[in-house]
Amino acid sequence: MIEARRLHILRAVADHRTVTAAAAALYLTPSAVSQQLTALEQETGHRLVERSARGVRLTPAGEILLSHTNAVLAQLERAEAELAAYGSGEAGEVTVAAFATGIAQVVAPALVRLAGTAPGIHIRVQDAEGDASLPMVLDRQVDVAVAVEYRGAPSADDPRLTHVPLYAEPFDAVVPVGHRLADTAEVPLAELAKDPWISPYPGNPCHDVVVLACESAGFQPRLEHSSDDFRAVVALASADAGVALVPRSALRGMDLRGVVVRPVDGVAPTRRVFAAVRRGAEEHPLIHPVLQALGEAART
């Protein structure tokens, strides 16, 4: 008989590629993870992982078991959802991980809605960049992620997750008030090829948007300054340190006196925001109202 908790460990090892990283995500010791993997191999009668200096990878037998693992764990999530529904599920805690502007844009308004429609649901919010929140859901550290599409992100048909689209928003060009393009109605990105750029750090999904937009315009941006805080990005632009692309919602309420904000000429770079839960958990009586409230907040 294969134990479900060992399947959780197998998937964590497959996701994180090392026993140490998987152990940290699951709040276990590396030795405990190794012991559980060994026990799982004994249960199945197959070698499931191969270790090397670069980490851990699944054997062909491990890949077969992983494909069934995703289905089994999703079904267990559905079972928990139905049992919670049977027990009314009117009160409990749901943890949501979201990036800062996502919290302002949809999470905080969703909390207001839930206070009126589902007062028994207590929401605990954690600030996490879009690329960090999805692993937190998969590792069961949080229940819901509000995340951004990025290169290498799990796709919408990933068997481990259920995606709920929320909203899409363009990036605007931010240039110093004295910039040569400050008086244009729209900024052609190709005209910024020789400028210094201010961008989020690599790994931040918005960094990918900036780089891909510039590459599509025919150049590699000269990234001189880095910050994941868009207030800092705008402050640097106002100090004539460079130019930037910033999501439109992140500019709301900022001091923009030293910069000019203009739409991008042509097809604007866009970030697409979605909510994600472990597949099968979307009908949980605590999580389903949260997803509904996030969707309503996004639509308004």
Side-chain angles (χ1 to χ4, degrees):
M1 180 70 69
I2 297 175
E3 289 193 21
R5 65 191 177 97
R6 290 174 182 152
L7 295 180
H8 280 293
I9 290 173
L10 178 70
R11 189 162 79 178
V13 169
D15 287 343
H16 294 281
R17 307 298 179 99
T18 70
V19 168
T20 300
L26 297 173
Y27 300 103
L28 297 172
T29 64
S31 62
V33 169
S34 295
Q35 289 169 7
Q36 293 299 318
L37 287 175
T38 299
L40 186 58
E41 289 178 328
Q42 292 172 348
E43 288 173 345
T44 61
H46 292 278
R47 187 180 181 189
L48 302 175
V49 297
E50 291 181 349
R51 294 172 173 81
S52 69
R54 292 183 295 179
V56 175
R57 69 179 183 88
L58 298 188
T59 64
E63 294 287 355
I64 291 171
L65 183 57
L66 180 65
S67 67
H68 291 284
T69 292
N70 292 325
V72 168
L73 295 182
Q75 191 60 41
L76 287 174
E77 292 284 354
R78 294 186 189 99
E80 289 182 9
E82 289 188 20
L83 287 170
Y86 178 76
S88 79
E90 293 180 354
E93 182 178 89
V94 175
T95 52
V96 179
F99 57 99
T101 50
I103 292 173
Q105 190 87 345
V106 292
V107 176
L111 264 62
V112 175
R113 284 173 166 77
L114 288 167
T117 60
I121 299 178
H122 173 67
I123 306 296
R124 186 161 56 88
V125 180
Q126 298 184 27
D127 189 332
E129 289 300 333
D131 59 328
S133 58
L134 294 178
M136 292 170 72
V137 167
L138 290 171
D139 292 335
R140 304 180 71 84
Q141 297 172 7
V142 300
D143 301 305
V144 181
V146 175
V148 178
E149 290 183 3
Y150 60 94
R151 286 188 290 189
S155 63
D157 60 356
D158 189 293
R160 302 169 297 172
L161 295 168
T162 293
H163 283 220
V164 179
L166 294 177
Y167 65 93
E169 65 172 328
F171 281 62
D172 289 326
V174 178
V175 301
V177 289
H179 193 273
R180 63 189 182 281
L181 298 178
D183 293 330
T184 61
E186 296 181 334
V187 173
L189 285 185
E191 296 295 320
L192 301 176
K194 295 184 179 180
D195 285 84
W197 279 76
I198 311 157
S199 168
Y201 284 99
N204 185 314
C206 290
H207 174 89
D208 286 348
V209 173
V210 172
V211 172
L212 287 172
C214 293
E215 289 176 350
S216 297
F219 68 97
Q220 287 283 342
R222 179 159 56 91
L223 303 176
E224 290 203 358
H225 310 284
S226 299
S227 176
D228 287 335
D229 186 334
F230 286 117
R231 290 171 299 180
V233 171
V234 170
L236 287 169
S238 70
D240 204 19
V243 299
L245 288 173
V246 177
R248 188 165 292 172
S249 68
L251 294 168
R252 293 173 186 161
M254 278 196 195
D255 181 358
L256 302 175
R257 286 175 294 181
V259 298
V260 172
V261 178
R262 293 288 184 265
V264 172
D265 184 33
V267 179
T270 302
R271 72 171 172 182
R272 291 173 174 79
V273 180
F274 61 93
V277 299
R278 292 180 294 278
R279 189 172 291 271
E282 60 274 11
E283 294 302 325
H284 192 286
L286 294 177
I287 293 175
H288 183 67
V290 175
L291 294 177
Q292 282 189 317
L294 289 170
E296 291 168 3
R299 286 190 291 273
T300 57

